[in-house]
Amino acid sequence: MQATAIAQPNIALIKYWGKRDIERNLPAVGSISITLSDLFTEVSVELDEKLRADSLMINGVFDEQRLPRMQLCLDNVIGEQRVRARITSQSNFPIAAGLASSASSFAAATVAAAGAAGLSLKVDDLARVAGRASGSAARSFYGGIAELRNCDNTINLNALCNEHSWPLKVVVAITETGPKHTGSTEAMEISRNSSPFYSSWLEQQDGDLQIARTAIEQRDFAALAEIAEHNCLKMHSVMWASRPAIVFWNSVTLQCLQTVRRLQEDGHNVFFTIDAGPQVKAVCL
Ligand code: DP6
């Protein structure tokens, strides 16, 4: 009753920010992301009837703080009456620092948990279960560019283009290696409850998704660049106007944006995006 799985993080081009149902972790908006190839998280789940409690080891260190969320993820996959588990997780990049480690961790944990319990679930179902643990994790089940769509009571995932048909490169600038001050889940709730821009963020998202979908379909890099940067800055504006303000950027984050702007002025096909952390991702043609 042991299984190991590997998943890659994904970077949102059109962002998920806000929840419509906290209990089931349903996002308030759809999103579009690109899955990375070189960064990964490997999770092993060993179910052992002799264990009296679950344990979680991250990069060789027991982590009590992150254990409850991981336990919930396993409960969602296997059921609350499950056998206790030894969980180990290893990432080849900084975790909880705005590099989407929750996406790769919960995607890998979901697959490993299902494998350890001998469950054979379809990819879509695995993605939905992983999404209950972390919204962005649902998108990591698809390579290339994927879209998460909101439906009545659930989410639907689909691949918009695979990694071979439009092989974009993502350069990640790590501006800070420490953990971020506020987790996405908490920060989203602060924004929902206090940002004066939150409702317009929700209203405009479908339009942004449509523009991005068309740009991806037509492999129109310039159009994708324009809408992705706009959507990213809009999400951060929602955060900045929250009370308390949620500011993940540092001075190097801003310098990286200026560097990308200079590259664009010199005619390079590149755009930036930033998630809930200080790191800058430069997406290149
Ligand atoms: C800014 O998926 O980490 O990266 O569902 O609460 O775990 P939870 O949130 P999470 O949020 C990701 C936020 C984002 C944008 C995105 O990836 O779409």
Side-chain angles (χ1 to χ4, degrees):
M1 296 179 73
Q2 198 264 342
T4 300
I6 286 179
Q8 288 77 14
N10 65 77
I11 303 299
L13 304 177
I14 300 297
K15 312 286 189 190
Y16 145 48
W17 196 251
K19 297 173 197 289
R20 67 188 149 119
D21 182 331
I22 308 220
E23 188 94 332
R24 288 178 298 162
N25 200 40
L26 290 174
V29 289
S31 53
I32 291 178
S33 65
I34 181 164
T35 300
L36 306 180
S37 55
D38 295 357
L39 305 186
F40 64 86
T41 301
E42 180 178 310
V43 176
S44 291
V45 172
E46 187 185 354
L47 299 170
D48 185 343
E49 276 165 8
K50 294 194 288 298
L51 288 177
R52 299 176 61 126
D54 295 323
S55 66
L56 171 65
M57 189 181 260
I58 299 183
N59 294 336
V61 180
F62 282 108
D63 194 323
E64 288 286 329
Q65 204 199 327
R66 294 196 173 85
L67 178 62
R69 205 167 163 197
M70 194 52 98
Q71 287 175 306
L72 210 57
C73 174
L74 265 59
D75 291 351
N76 289 340
V77 182
I78 310 172
E80 282 170 32
Q81 305 305 322
R82 66 180 167 79
V83 167
R84 296 296 106 194
R86 210 173 278 120
I87 310 153
T88 56
S89 172
Q90 206 88 27
S91 294
N92 69 345
F93 61 97
I95 61 164
L99 282 174
S101 60
S102 69
S104 53
S105 304
F106 289 113
T110 299
V111 178
L119 303 170
S120 61
L121 298 172
K122 292 199 302 257
V123 173
D124 285 2
D125 293 327
L126 285 166
R128 280 194 198 100
V129 180
R132 288 190 61 188
S134 183
S136 54
R139 301 183 309 232
S140 273
F141 284 78
Y142 300 81
I145 300 181
E147 177 170 11
L148 183 155
R149 283 181 198 240
N150 259 333
C151 312
D152 282 351
N153 266 324
T154 185
I155 49 169
N156 271 343
L157 279 303
N158 67 299
L160 295 182
C161 83
N162 70 38
E163 62 270 42
H164 307 295
S165 65
W166 204 19
L168 302 175
K169 298 278 178 206
V170 182
V171 180
V172 180
I174 298 176
T175 67
E176 220 174 277
T177 51
K180 56 193 184 190
H181 49 73
T182 318
S184 301
T185 310
E186 185 190 345
M188 283 185 204
E189 277 305 280
I190 296 174
S191 290
R192 186 173 70 85
N193 290 322
S194 65
S195 180
F197 304 149
Y198 186 75
S199 55
S200 21
W201 161 253
L202 299 188
E203 275 162 31
Q204 292 181 17
Q205 187 77 347
D206 282 346
D208 289 6
L209 285 164
Q210 183 52 50
I211 294 169
R213 228 178 272 132
T214 306
I216 292 159
E217 208 175 279
Q218 298 176 348
R219 308 289 189 266
D220 184 342
F221 188 83
L224 182 62
E226 209 276 325
I227 195 65
E229 288 189 354
H230 173 65
N231 188 266
C232 161
L233 294 174
K234 213 158 50 176
M235 177 186 75
H236 285 277
S237 305
V238 171
M239 293 186 200
W240 283 39
S242 300
R243 287 182 161 170
I246 304 154
V247 180
F248 287 113
W249 300 14
N250 59 40
S251 57
V252 184
T253 311
L254 209 51
Q255 281 174 41
C256 289
L257 294 201
Q258 287 164 340
T259 301
V260 172
R261 279 279 177 269
R262 270 200 303 277
L263 288 165
Q264 289 170 334
E265 280 158 22
D266 291 346
H268 294 285
N269 286 306
V270 56
F271 66 86
F272 63 76
T273 191
I274 307 163
D275 288 303
Q279 326 304 3
V280 179
K281 291 94 181 187
V283 182
C284 315
L285 190 60

